[in-house]
């Protein structure tokens, strides 16, 4: 998972590879957390939990992948057909140098707080120096590709200066002229022999390239006998969703709320799945809609993801990028009201590209505890006792009556109240039936009933179920007085 976007300025210096000091002696750099064979260290096969030392040569073949946890908490995800060496990793001094000869590498770097700390990834034609972020570096045939998932990177490159010939050139560390470029989150740059017309230019990272870079460095072990997750396989299809844009939207939505004194929304997995399933249909059809032919309505889609709620809303939009989509939603009173609704506490946000446009779905809800097995009967009894105490009269006696639970279940499954069945119980005075999403809430007729003397007491039964009328689920309650 991506970490929250940081505002820390990161620096990425692209210079010709020069010699650096190599410390002597065996020193631990990290541990193998996961791998897909074949991966090796110093030409010997690796296994999970192997300890890695400084200067160990790590290599993956055409099917291998490797995830390494460094001793400072940083994570290296090594793609197939890659070779690299952790030349130095001093967690206490926060000094890390990684030499990548070729291949693909995702770096999830812990924040560097030591003033003299550094984290560098060196390729034969580049040095990437960062302070703490999530980024991708690939090197092949004298070409370096860099994608910034989080943070902000400054790139200095003599090759880019030579190509651009602009007036922003500076003197590089080795005396050559360099060009300084900014690479914020969601942007990428290509520098090298095959860079093409977009070389040395920061451009928005195309979703397909972002997803490919993540897929190529994913180290999920495929099932036995399966080739899922490996390059060229038919088993695992990379996600079509732009997680960078989704993170941008999350930050923008919660920023709108918190600057106005509203609590930030939390991400709900079920709401995210519901939003993504709808979003991909919009992107495929290139049409904005809250419901397509054959697609269930919003409430049913959310319930299908096992989310309990009593309030929900949805925003959809399309634009050239995620921030533009957000601005359009905030400019619309109805959509703005959904984002700033104080009664909502959770959301799921999806972003899917089709051509030049990103399609956005924001699914909001007020989420209820998702436990149908809650003892609603006991909660109701407590609520009745508290109400009586707060109004200065004795609470009526609660009597056990197991048959009411079964009657409530029958009504829930049939979707209709049935007062005749409870009246068959001996000594029944009054029958009260209601539905509620909150068993702590007492309806007016129940309050009226318990506000009168009930010398014989009462019994209550409750059952939770979903139905066509209540797709999110609701409690059916039966109460009798004696």
């Amino acid at each position: 998972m991506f970490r929250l976007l940081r505002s820390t300025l990161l620096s990425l210096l692209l210079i010709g590879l020069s010699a650096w000091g190599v410390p002597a002696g065996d020193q631990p750099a990290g541990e193998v957390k996961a791998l897909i064979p074949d991966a090796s260290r110093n030409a010997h096969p690796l296994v999970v939990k192997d300890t890695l030392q400084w200067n160990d040569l790590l290599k993956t073949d055409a099917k291998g992948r490797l995830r390494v946890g460094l001793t400072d908490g940083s994570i290296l995800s090594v793609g197939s057909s890659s070779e690299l060496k952790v030349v130095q990793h001093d967690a206490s001094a926060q000094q890390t140098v990684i030499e990548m000869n070729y291949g693909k590498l995702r770096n999830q770097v812990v924040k560097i707080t030591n003033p003299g700390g550094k984290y560098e990834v060196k390729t034969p034609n580049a040095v990437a120096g960062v302070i703490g972020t999530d980024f991708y570096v690939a090197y092949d045939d004298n070409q370096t590709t860099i994608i910034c998932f989080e943070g902000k990177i400054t790139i200095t490159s003599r090759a880019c200066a030579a190509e651009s010939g602009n007036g922003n050139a500076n003197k590089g560390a080795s005396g050559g002229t360099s060009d300084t470029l900014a690479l914020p989150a969601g942007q990428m740059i290509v520098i090298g022999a095959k860079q093409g017309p977009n070389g040395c230019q920061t451009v928005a990272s195309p979703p397909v390239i972002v997803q490919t870079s993540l897929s190529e460095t994913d180290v999920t072990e495929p099932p036995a006998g399966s080739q899922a997750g490996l390059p060229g396989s038919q088993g695992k299809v990379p996600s079509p969703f732009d997680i960078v844009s989704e993170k941008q939207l999350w930050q923008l939505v919660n920023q709108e709320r918190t600057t106005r004194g509203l609590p930030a929304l939390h991400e709900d997995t079920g709401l995210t799945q519901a939003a993504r399933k709808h979003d991909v249909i919009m992107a495929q059809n290139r049409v904005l809609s809250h419901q397509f032919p054959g697609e269930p309505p919003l409430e049913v889609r959310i319930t299908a993801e096992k989310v309990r709620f009593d309030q929900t809303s949805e925003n959809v939009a399309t634009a050239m990028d995620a921030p533009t989509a957000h601005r359009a939603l905030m400019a619309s009173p109805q959509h703005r009201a959904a984002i700033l609704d104080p009664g909502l506490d959770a959301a799921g946000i999806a972003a899917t590209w089709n051509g030049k446009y990103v399609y956005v779905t924001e699914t909001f809800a007020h989420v209820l505890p998702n436990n149908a097995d809650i003892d609603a009967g006991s909660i109701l009894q407590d609520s009745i006792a508290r109400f009586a105490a707060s109004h200065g009269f004795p609470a009526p006696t609660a009597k056990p009556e197991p048959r009411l639970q079964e009657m409530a279940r029958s009504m829930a499954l049939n979707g209709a109240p049935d007062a005749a069945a409870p009246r068959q119980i001996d000594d029944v005075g009054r029958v009260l039936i209601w539905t509620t999403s909150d068993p702590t809430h007492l309806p007016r007729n129940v309050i009226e009933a318990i506000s009168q003397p009930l010398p014989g007491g009462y019994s209550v039964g409750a059952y939770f179920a979903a139905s066509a009328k209540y797709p999110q689920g609701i409690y059916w309650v039966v109460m009798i007085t004696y």
Side-chain angles (χ1 to χ4, degrees):
M1 297 290 295
F2 291 129
R3 298 182 300 278
L4 291 177
L5 182 62
R6 296 188 179 94
S7 60
T8 306
L9 179 65
L10 310 178
S11 67
L12 182 64
L13 305 176
L14 296 179
I15 59 176
L17 183 64
S18 60
W20 58 84
V22 178
D26 291 336
Q27 300 187 57
E31 180 183 85
V32 176
K33 298 296 185 181
L35 61 83
I36 298 175
D38 292 311
S40 64
R41 174 186 59 182
N42 303 327
H44 296 286
L46 273 170
V47 297
V48 174
K49 294 188 177 180
D50 270 356
T51 299
L52 304 179
Q53 306 291 335
W54 290 22
N55 288 311
D56 278 348
L57 183 66
L58 304 178
K59 187 174 182 179
T60 59
D61 70 3
K63 294 183 178 181
R65 308 279 181 92
L66 178 64
R67 182 183 300 125
V68 174
L70 298 181
T71 57
D72 70 346
S74 298
I75 300 294
L76 307 180
S77 298
V78 185
S80 304
S81 301
S82 299
E83 184 178 278
L84 62 86
K85 180 186 296 185
V86 181
V87 177
Q88 178 184 8
H89 180 67
D90 186 334
S92 59
Q94 293 193 300
Q95 297 284 325
T96 301
V97 177
I98 297 170
E99 173 189 347
M100 188 169 75
N101 296 328
Y102 57 84
K104 308 170 186 71
L105 173 66
R106 178 182 177 186
N107 303 263
Q108 293 169 280
V109 185
V110 299
K111 186 176 181 179
I112 295 178
T113 57
N114 190 321
K118 68 177 181 180
Y119 182 104
E120 294 182 341
V121 178
K122 301 187 177 186
T123 70
N125 68 352
V127 178
V130 305
I131 297 174
T133 188
D134 188 343
F135 71 106
Y136 168 90
V137 178
Y139 179 80
D140 179 61
D141 195 15
N142 200 35
Q143 177 171 285
T144 298
T145 300
I146 303 159
I147 303 174
C148 182
F149 299 134
E150 296 183 16
K152 189 174 183 180
I153 300 174
T154 299
I155 300 173
T156 304
S157 165
R158 293 197 307 273
C160 291
E163 179 172 311
S164 66
N166 62 40
N168 295 323
N170 305 308
K171 277 288 184 180
S174 58
T177 302
S178 61
D179 196 29
T180 300
L181 304 168
L183 188 69
Q187 299 276 307
M188 67 174 289
I189 190 169
V190 178
I191 297 173
K194 301 186 298 179
Q195 59 194 31
N198 291 325
C200 287
Q201 296 181 22
T202 60
V203 298
S205 307
V208 64
I209 293 180
V210 171
Q211 294 303 326
T212 298
S213 67
L214 296 174
S215 176
E216 288 176 338
T217 53
D218 180 33
V219 195
T220 302
E221 181 69 55
S226 169
Q227 295 299 304
L230 299 180
S233 73
Q234 301 300 315
K236 182 178 179 181
V237 180
S239 167
F241 307 108
D242 182 358
I243 54 181
V244 172
S245 291
E246 290 176 356
K247 285 292 185 183
Q248 287 179 318
L249 290 163
W250 264 111
Q251 183 185 38
L252 291 167
V253 165
N254 276 332
Q255 185 177 35
E256 300 286 1
R257 292 177 64 90
T258 56
T259 55
R260 292 167 174 82
L262 297 170
L265 300 172
H266 73 266
E267 182 174 6
D268 181 274
T269 302
L271 294 176
T272 298
Q273 290 302 314
R276 285 180 164 181
K277 288 177 181 179
H278 178 74
D279 202 58
V280 74
I281 298 174
M282 282 204 312
Q284 289 171 347
N285 288 275
R286 299 190 179 189
V287 173
L288 291 182
S289 175
H290 290 288
Q291 185 178 2
F292 288 87
E295 183 188 27
L298 174 62
E299 293 81 3
V300 176
R301 289 190 274 117
I302 296 175
T303 302
E305 303 299 335
K306 303 186 184 304
V307 179
R308 284 196 64 228
F309 60 95
D310 59 5
Q311 182 182 349
T312 186
S313 61
E314 181 181 77
N315 286 345
V316 297
T318 186
M320 297 291 287
D321 55 41
T324 303
H326 175 75
R327 288 193 294 271
L329 290 171
M330 288 298 293
S332 163
Q334 182 179 358
H335 297 93
R336 175 190 177 94
I339 292 173
L340 301 179
D341 190 333
L344 303 171
D345 63 1
I349 296 178
T352 311
W353 288 82
N354 190 330
K356 296 180 179 179
Y357 298 93
V358 62
Y359 289 79
V360 173
T361 299
E362 298 173 341
T363 302
F364 306 101
H366 177 252
V367 176
L368 301 172
N370 196 12
N371 50 350
D373 296 330
I374 187 173
D375 188 354
S378 295
I379 292 176
L380 286 160
Q381 291 175 16
D382 291 342
S383 297
I384 290 171
R386 285 196 301 270
F387 178 84
S390 66
H391 287 76
F393 60 83
T397 302
K399 295 182 177 181
E401 179 46 79
R403 285 176 290 179
L404 290 181
Q405 177 78 10
E406 183 56 35
M407 292 176 188
R409 177 180 180 275
S410 178
M411 294 181 203
L413 297 180
N414 292 325
D418 178 9
R423 292 193 182 281
Q424 303 304 313
I425 298 175
D426 293 341
D427 301 323
V428 169
R430 187 174 180 183
V431 175
L432 301 137
I433 300 172
W434 71 95
T435 57
T436 181
S437 60
D438 181 5
T440 65
H441 175 72
L442 300 176
R444 183 179 299 275
N445 59 346
V446 174
I447 291 174
E448 291 174 354
I450 64 175
S451 296
Q452 305 298 321
L454 294 175
Y458 74 96
S459 299
V460 65
Y463 188 83
F464 178 86
S467 65
K469 185 176 181 180
Y470 303 105
Q472 74 273 25
I474 203 163
Y475 290 98
W476 285 75
V477 185
V478 184
M479 177 179 171
I480 60 175
T481 62
Y482 299 97

